[in-house]
Amino acid sequence: MSKAGALDLASGLGGKINKEEVKSAVDEYVSESEQLRLYEKYHGYYGGKEESRKANYTDMVNKYYDLATSFYEYGWGESFHFAHRWNGESLRESIKRHEHFLALQLGLKPGMKVLDVGCGIGGPLREIARFSLTSVTGLNNNEYQISRGKELNRLAGVSGTCDFVKADFMNMPFSDNTFDAVYAIEATCHAPDPVGCYKEIYRVLKPGQCFAVYEWCITDHYDPNNATHKRIKDEIELGNGLPDIRSTRQCLQAVKDAGFEVVWDKDLADDSPVPWYSPLDPSRFSLSSFRLTSVGRMITRTMVKALEYVGLAPQGSERVSNFLEKAAEGLVEGGKKEIFTPMYFFLARKPLSE
């Protein structure tokens, strides 16, 4: 997990990236406040339309990660995902095991060439590469995250076996049948068209090899006519840069439509002894994930406000923190009502002959 502290949040908003670099990333759209306004306009929580989010998904997702990445690293560490968790297991341990599980399901072996679709700053990429002794390429369309990931690769000593490619996962710059395995961890939920995204993954994967994924999905308990359910869905989409949250059934059908054979699938949240949302639940207290607790978030909120006021954090930081808090509320409520899962898992194989 990241060791970033309060001073790192001030200087680099958690990622030890120069404050001016953070500012320049958002100033591209006139100002941080304007950047936030432009991001917010896409979402149903502010009256935005799903069609607009899908049509402008690259712009929307990049705005989201320019704004949110350093807050994620500060509060969560280098791996931006949830995990199935056992009693007595720390958040950090569960995240590593969640990544190892993926590697084992794919049957990764030393020397294999692997693709991480939507790799973030590369926390899972580094862990899986070290665990399986494979070479992992991280695909990401956000320059800010790639620059951070390259630095973390250097510090971890994996630059020789792990790299990053800046590209859209709807149009990958790789030849057909390039990779021995492909995985995605809570990333392809950003795709405007899941079939199109899975087809690209299918194209670059070698015949007979596997694709494994953790998807963010709406469950069968979700009622689109329930106003509370709709509000929760809107909050999750707003706070996490999503064009739309698809159902587990839609995702499973999409991977089949892309040409894959489904080996097995399961919502891993169903039998998790510790709820996946517990690190975000303000009613729970944990020393191992203190920054994510109610008290920890209050301290962070106060600190961010003070740092922005004195000019040590970029303007708009408090507002970014606020919409991430709103996202956390939606995730916890969605988890408790069992209408949302961040870990619908499936393992799919590309047929040997097409």
Side-chain angles (χ1 to χ4, degrees), residues 218-287:
I218 289 300
T219 72
D220 289 343
H221 296 289
Y222 177 76
D223 178 1
N225 298 313
N226 183 308
T228 299
H229 289 192
K230 180 66 168 59
R231 173 185 56 77
I232 292 169
K233 181 174 181 285
D234 286 345
E235 287 178 353
I236 295 172
E237 289 168 350
L238 168 69
N240 296 280
L242 303 178
D244 182 39
I245 308 176
R246 293 171 280 270
S247 71
T248 54
R249 295 170 188 267
Q250 287 173 317
C251 284
L252 192 62
Q253 187 58 51
V255 78
K256 292 176 181 177
D257 291 344
F260 284 101
E261 300 170 345
V262 176
V263 179
W264 73 282
D265 71 290
K266 180 177 175 60
D267 180 2
L268 298 183
D270 283 345
D271 59 359
S272 181
V274 177
W276 61 266
Y277 54 82
S278 61
L280 298 176
D281 189 346
S283 67
R284 295 172 178 261
F285 184 84
S286 170
L287 289 175

Side-chain angles (χ1 to χ4, degrees), residues 76 79-83 91 94-96 98-99 124 185-186 214:
W76 207 259
S79 294
F80 303 164
H81 63 81
F82 294 98
L91 177 62
S94 70
I95 284 175
K96 284 179 177 288
H98 207 57
E99 294 164 357
I185 302 178
E186 302 182 22
Y214 293 124

Side-chain angles (χ1 to χ4, degrees), residues 48-244:
K49 302 298 183 184
E50 179 184 329
E51 294 77 13
S52 176
R53 295 196 294 275
K54 289 182 176 180
N56 298 281
Y57 83 97
T58 299
D59 180 50
M60 183 189 74
V61 172
N62 267 296
K63 282 183 171 65
Y64 172 76
Y65 281 112
D66 281 346
L67 295 166
T69 291
S70 294
F71 283 91
Y72 270 20
E73 189 178 350
Y74 168 75
W76 207 259
E78 295 175 17
S79 294
F80 303 164
H81 63 81
F82 294 98
H84 177 281
R85 189 171 168 190
W86 297 103
N87 289 317
E89 186 177 39
S90 71
L91 177 62
R92 180 180 181 180
E93 289 169 341
S94 70
I95 284 175
K96 284 179 177 288
R97 182 174 54 76
H98 207 57
E99 294 164 357
H100 295 173
F101 175 82
L102 203 68
L104 292 169
Q105 290 299 312
L106 285 167
L108 299 188
K109 295 178 176 59
M112 289 177 72
K113 188 175 181 180
V114 183
L115 178 65
D116 180 331
V117 177
C119 62
I121 60 173
L125 175 155
R126 287 181 288 277
E127 185 62 35
I128 288 173
R130 290 178 293 204
F131 177 74
S132 61
L133 301 180
T134 53
S135 297
V136 186
T137 296
L139 185 77
N140 193 326
N141 207 26
N142 185 268
E143 187 62 47
Y144 182 28
Q145 289 195 333
I146 288 177
S147 66
R148 179 65 180 144
K150 287 180 177 178
E151 173 63 11
L152 290 169
N153 278 4
R154 184 187 67 79
L155 294 172
V158 298
S159 295
T161 56
C162 298
D163 64 351
F164 295 91
V165 171
K166 185 180 185 301
D168 185 345
F169 53 36
M170 301 298 291
N171 185 24
M172 300 185 199
F174 307 118
S175 300
D176 295 355
N177 309 322
T178 295
F179 294 96
D180 298 302
V182 181
Y183 69 85
I185 302 178
E186 302 182 22
T188 47
C189 52
H190 292 293
D193 170 25
V195 176
C197 179
Y198 295 156
K199 279 185 175 179
E200 269 296 271
I201 291 169
Y202 184 97
R203 181 183 65 78
V204 303
L205 182 63
K206 292 179 181 178
Q209 300 304 306
C210 289
F211 165 48
V213 63
Y214 293 124
E215 279 285 9
W216 279 33
C217 290
I218 289 300
T219 72
D220 289 343
H221 296 289
Y222 177 76
D223 178 1
N225 298 313
N226 183 308
T228 299
H229 289 192
K230 180 66 168 59
R231 173 185 56 77
I232 292 169
K233 181 174 181 285
D234 286 345
E235 287 178 353
I236 295 172
E237 289 168 350
L238 168 69
N240 296 280
L242 303 178
D244 182 39

